[in-house]
Amino acid sequence: MQVPLIRLQCGVNSYDWGKVGNDSAAAKFAAATPSDFSIQEEKPYAELWMGTHPSNPSKDLTTQRTLLDLVQDNQALLSKDIAERFGNKLPFLFKVLSVGKALSIQAHPHKKLAEELHRRDSKNYPDDNHKPEMTIAITEFDGLCGFRPLAEIAHFLKTIPALREIVGDSEAAAFESAIKGQDTSTEPAAETKNKKALQKLFGTLMNSSPEAVTKACYAIVQSASSEGASFASGGLPSTSGETLARLVARLNSQFPQDIGLLVFFFLNYVELSPGEAMFLKADDIHAYLSGDII
Ligand SMILES: [Zn+2]
């Protein structure tokens, strides 16, 4: 049976972090479909969704039937296998994200944990699925993805005094000695020890008082601005001091004195050009900072 080509009308979310007006790819794609949607110059447009999710369902432009209704009515649209396996729903949500401002740092649960959270608290965890993400850049993009190699975190503890101060010198030293000589080891015992050391250090940072976070942010913004390219001893091969200093200023201007500014030194900084992609497994910590992506 031949499956007809159906033109979809996809909804756009207007969140504060979205790119504004015509600058937003999400808005431009939405406006390309003939409908009553038109782009307002001052308004941020964050996400275009193509899928069967009930909170923003895509519709057949001609009949206005939802995509969910269509795929449930006609199994050939998904194929029998997919329809059976995923209960007549699309097993993915296709989004265009237009990121103007840094998004919150997040991690999505793996399948088992998602099921358990959903079972325990379906109101706050309406979805029992894991949510790995594939990100394809359609404009210049940057973001944070996964923890940095431990030696890089150690570098920042040594070269950014405010970062060392907030976790405390003894915590920093304990981390340094725990990973010493084995930071890239793949031996199970060493890996466990490394993981524990990182967990302890990161936990200490996350449990810092709001006053300490504010103080550390002020100091880091100050050093980034006065030191420029030599910030954090010139940075690292993966992220230069100049890039770090620029990012510190940018992130702090979006969210002044936010703990995210300190977490930034623990995570890999990733830049993508149009057509490049990154994959985030379930559980991987990440934050999108700017750019348009699929
Ligand atoms: Zn995410």
Side-chain angles (χ1 to χ4, degrees), residues 97 99 103-104 106 108 131-147 267-282 284-294:
L97 260 66
V99 184
L103 269 78
S104 55
Q106 51 192 270
H108 309 297
K131 222 177 81 179
E133 297 178 358
M134 170 68 90
T135 296
I136 305 165
I138 52 174
T139 60
E140 293 297 328
F141 164 86
D142 66 354
L144 306 175
C145 164
F147 284 99
L267 305 183
N268 291 303
Y269 175 64
V270 179
E271 289 174 291
L272 302 177
S273 290
E276 292 183 332
M278 71 175 175
F279 179 70
L280 301 161
K281 298 194 304 285
D284 273 351
I285 185 168
H286 60 282
Y288 298 149
L289 300 181
S290 76
D292 301 275
I293 52 177
I294 306 279

Side-chain angles (χ1 to χ4, degrees), residues 42-213:
E42 304 290 305
K43 197 171 167 180
Y45 297 97
E47 302 183 326
L48 175 141
W49 286 21
M50 193 182 292
T52 51
H53 200 285
S55 71
N56 189 0
S58 305
K59 291 175 188 156
D60 176 358
L61 184 65
T62 320
T63 62
Q64 291 294 301
R65 285 176 75 192
T66 66
L67 183 59
L68 181 62
D69 187 28
L70 291 170
V71 296
Q72 293 194 329
D73 205 34
N74 181 0
Q75 224 179 37
L77 288 173
L78 287 180
S79 85
K80 192 165 170 283
D81 284 359
I82 300 288
E84 275 169 10
R85 193 163 154 210
F86 296 100
N88 285 316
K89 283 181 196 150
L90 273 193
F92 60 88
L93 180 57
F94 178 102
K95 293 184 183 181
V96 179
L97 260 66
S98 293
V99 184
K101 254 196 251 181
L103 269 78
S104 55
I105 294 160
Q106 51 192 270
H108 309 297
H110 54 268
K111 179 73 177 147
K112 249 197 162 145
L113 180 61
E115 282 170 358
E116 197 189 316
L117 291 170
H118 177 72
R119 201 167 41 236
R120 268 195 273 155
D121 180 2
S122 61
K123 198 164 154 273
N124 284 314
Y125 300 95
D127 196 344
D128 68 352
N129 276 307
H130 54 165
K131 222 177 81 179
E133 297 178 358
M134 170 68 90
T135 296
I136 305 165
I138 52 174
T139 60
E140 293 297 328
F141 164 86
D142 66 354
L144 306 175
C145 164
F147 284 99
R148 284 181 176 272
L150 301 177
E152 296 194 2
I153 297 171
H155 172 88
F156 292 137
L157 286 175
K158 276 210 167 63
T159 58
I160 304 174
L163 194 64
R164 192 174 193 93
E165 194 190 321
I166 192 167
V167 294
D169 191 47
S170 65
E171 277 298 335
F175 174 77
E176 287 158 349
S177 88
I179 66 161
K180 194 168 183 197
Q182 59 157 43
D183 61 294
T184 55
S185 172
T186 50
E187 286 278 306
E191 276 192 329
T192 305
K193 196 174 166 207
N194 287 345
K195 230 179 225 175
K196 275 204 176 128
L198 175 61
Q199 194 176 36
K200 184 124 193 300
L201 182 72
F202 191 64
T204 305
L205 172 67
M206 296 311 285
N207 287 312
S208 307
S209 71
E211 297 74 28
V213 170

